[in-house]
Amino acid sequence: MPQLTLYHAAPSRSSIVHWMLEELGEPYDIHLVSFKKGENRQPAFLAINPMGKLPALRHGETVITEASAICTYLADEFPRAKLNVPIGDPRRGVYLKWLFFGPSCVEPAIMERAYPRKETPPRGALGFGDFDTVVDVLAKAAGAASPYLMGAQFTAADVIIGSGLRWGMMFKLLPERPEFKAYVGRLAERPALKRATEKDAKLAKEQEAS
Ligand SMILES: N[C@@H](CCC(=O)N[C@@H](CS)C(=O)NCC(=O)O)C(=O)O
């Protein structure tokens, strides 16, 4: 079976994929890339991701970048882990909606809060619309999650939306709505997330010391 290698800096957006890999239960390697040493801007890494950004995942000859694309790929490529909603299942549309909602709505809304613009573009021009609507849509979904976005099944969509909520609340960029706290609290109980978080803390120390 082709080897899985995560190009990772701990903690960073590649921690999303780290959690996903722990959920997947397949063997994987971690290749640490140091932002401090500028390794992400050096030719060896730019050959992997010309954007100079993490995460990147190598699976045999295939290189995938963009956290949501990687999670979607892994969930479909390793269906045994039951982290995807397969083609043909009527729930797949909603599942894909959440996988895209993360990078196209949650992240830009959070970033706008972190770095407000001098002049707000018209709502219609922004793919995410506006911050409050994104938060309301997320709160409704988190409130309805029973216990996960797709119901009883935990999927890659929970890794993406859950990571956005965890990160947004950690940096006080998203409000601590009771629905968010309850949903994120359930996710925090997942052994795979606990393992990824513990490993990330160790890797962060290693990277700081190197
Ligand atoms: N759109 C990318 C964003 C990746 C990203 O911005 N990663 C940050 C780490 S959190 C990074 O590599 N920053 C280093 C840089 O841009 O120099 C994704 O969702 O995977």
Side-chain angles (χ1 to χ4, degrees):
M1 187 184 289
Q3 180 63 46
L4 289 165
T5 302
L6 172 64
Y7 295 85
H8 183 40
S12 77
R13 284 175 177 89
S14 54
S15 302
I16 302 169
V17 178
H18 194 190
W19 174 15
M20 181 70 186
L21 285 165
E22 285 293 327
E23 294 284 355
L24 205 66
E26 297 291 332
Y28 66 93
D29 286 336
I30 286 187
H31 180 115
L32 289 175
V33 177
S34 167
F35 290 140
K36 201 165 79 179
K37 293 183 190 161
E39 286 172 356
N40 59 312
R41 307 291 316 164
Q42 281 164 21
F45 184 72
L46 291 175
I48 292 156
N49 184 3
M51 294 291 286
K53 283 185 172 287
L54 298 170
L57 183 87
R58 183 185 289 283
H59 182 213
E61 296 301 304
T62 307
V63 172
I64 315 125
T65 61
E66 299 300 320
S68 263
I70 297 171
C71 290
T72 309
Y73 174 88
L74 286 172
D76 285 341
E77 195 73 11
F78 298 93
R80 201 174 50 183
K82 294 198 179 345
L83 295 168
N84 71 338
V85 176
I87 290 173
D89 185 320
R91 299 175 310 138
R92 185 163 166 95
V94 174
Y95 163 74
L96 288 177
K97 185 270 293 283
W98 289 122
L99 285 165
F100 282 72
F101 196 80
S104 50
C105 295
V106 180
E107 176 157 335
I110 291 176
M111 282 304 160
E112 191 172 77
R113 195 44 58 107
Y115 303 104
R117 302 173 217 226
K118 287 199 181 94
E119 204 180 319
T120 310
R123 185 180 191 282
L126 293 173
F128 69 93
D130 62 83
F131 181 85
D132 290 340
T133 306
V134 171
V135 169
D136 286 344
V137 169
L138 283 173
K140 197 169 167 205
S146 174
Y148 303 119
L149 288 176
M150 298 307 300
Q153 184 191 1
F154 175 87
T155 67
D158 294 295
V159 174
I160 292 301
I161 296 299
S163 295
L165 290 176
R166 281 162 55 81
W167 188 85
M169 286 196 286
M170 192 188 304
F171 290 97
K172 309 277 177 229
L173 295 168
L174 283 179
E176 294 201 338
R177 295 254 184 117
E179 301 93 322
F180 294 163
K181 286 174 78 174
Y183 171 60
V184 160
R186 289 196 292 279
L187 297 179
E189 290 305 312
R190 292 191 66 79
L193 179 53
K194 287 186 184 167
R195 283 196 302 276
T197 308
E198 276 167 26
K199 285 187 192 176
D200 259 9
K202 283 191 194 130
L203 291 171
K205 280 195 188 133
E206 259 177 61
Q207 283 203 293
E208 260 171 49
S210 71

